[in-house]
Amino acid sequence: QSVLTQPPSASGTPGQRVTFSCSGSTSNIGNNVVNWYQQLPGTAPKLLIYSSNQRPSGVPDRFSGSKSGTSASLAISGLQSEDEATYYCAAWDDRLHVVFGGGTKLTVL
Amino acid sequence: QIQLVQSGAEMKKPGASVKVSCKASGYTFTSHGINWVRQAPGQGLEWMGWVSTYNGNTKYAQNFEGRVTVTTDTFTSTAYMELKSLRSDDTAVYYCARPTGGGYLPLGFWGQGTLVTVSS
């Protein structure tokens, strides 16, 4: 059971906007920033969003993040087929150190 | 460019230990800690621990406390993760990952992963 809660799956069609949720508690998301990772099949995870809403250089501005209270969200606009991947949220937890969500697998229909 | 290159796949029997290495290049090794994260087949990411490459301080996930040891060798810019008393459910891909900055997160650089298979 992951400390951060994510829905296991999501889907969308090309061009659509999709959002992913990540729910935590005061000790993690409530008190600390959230990071999002994209993992394509068979590859290592890639940092997508850091500090809740910042994009590393090279990440398209189609990807955006936000945080409110003990929850966070990742949005992808203008969905593309290459966005099909699993998306993980992560945060520092004041008791448990680093915690991840269980991941949301995105299918582009 | 910044690279983390991990050692090759391992096959171990239950009860044995495994030691995975992670060789860093392209930056000053002692400026950033190293995290270890694992992923069981078809499962999500699980943080195992962190080591300071500056002074060797460590932090471990409760699930692994007492079974995992993370260390570094500053002379070879290599981090190590040793997991003892292996069980079949330790079968996973083990990743080393470096934060982008000076803290524990975010994990901006990842090794390619090392598959550890535990089977009798």
Side-chain angles (χ1 to χ4, degrees):
Chain A
Q1 223 70 331
S2 301
V3 173
L4 304 182
T5 301
Q6 297 182 253
S9 62
S11 62
T13 55
Q16 198 174 15
R17 173 184 166 93
V18 294
T19 61
F20 308 92
S21 64
C22 174
S23 176
S25 65
T26 303
S27 64
N28 42 66
I29 295 178
N31 282 347
N32 300 288
V33 297
V34 178
N35 307 305
W36 290 89
Y37 300 88
Q38 176 194 59
Q39 187 177 34
L40 299 171
T43 68
K46 169 191 169 184
L47 180 63
L48 203 61
I49 297 286
Y50 68 96
S51 294
S52 302
N53 58 13
Q54 302 297 304
R55 284 186 309 277
S57 82
V59 173
D61 59 7
R62 301 187 296 106
F63 295 90
S64 62
S66 63
K67 187 187 96 162
S68 178
T70 59
S71 294
S73 293
L74 171 71
I76 308 176
S77 59
L79 194 63
Q80 299 179 2
S81 58
E82 57 259 40
D83 298 332
E84 189 159 287
T86 301
Y87 294 84
Y88 294 92
C89 58
W92 179 261
D93 184 286
D94 296 337
R95 294 181 298 111
L96 302 174
H97 308 315
V98 178
V99 291
F100 284 95
T104 299
K105 185 173 183 179
L106 172 65
T107 301
V108 180
L109 302 169
Chain B
Q1 74 280 24
I2 295 168
Q3 279 193 305
L4 300 173
V5 179
Q6 299 183 222
S7 49
E10 301 262 14
M11 184 159 288
K12 296 290 182 182
K13 293 195 181 305
S17 298
V18 68
K19 193 169 187 176
V20 178
S21 68
C22 169
K23 184 169 177 59
S25 61
Y27 70 97
T28 301
F29 182 66
T30 52
S31 295
H32 303 272
I34 294 286
N35 290 265
W36 289 88
V37 176
R38 79 175 185 180
Q39 185 170 36
Q43 302 301 308
L45 303 171
E46 183 177 25
W47 182 78
M48 299 179 69
W50 166 91
V51 60
S52 166
T53 54
Y54 177 73
N55 59 17
N57 286 349
T58 55
K59 289 189 184 295
Y60 296 114
Q62 286 178 359
N63 285 352
F64 298 98
E65 196 83 51
R67 244 187 2 121
V68 70
T69 304
V70 293
T71 56
T72 63
D73 180 343
T74 56
F75 292 103
T76 60
S77 298
T78 303
Y80 298 91
M81 185 283 301
E82 183 175 24
L83 187 61
K84 302 169 186 163
S85 304
L86 289 168
R87 309 183 292 248
S88 57
D89 62 0
D90 290 318
T91 294
V93 175
Y94 290 77
Y95 293 102
C96 61
R98 199 212 86 172
T100 53
Y104 306 99
L105 294 173
L107 302 177
F109 304 94
W110 294 71
Q112 83 276 20
T114 296
L115 175 63
V116 175
T117 304
V118 183
S119 174
S120 54

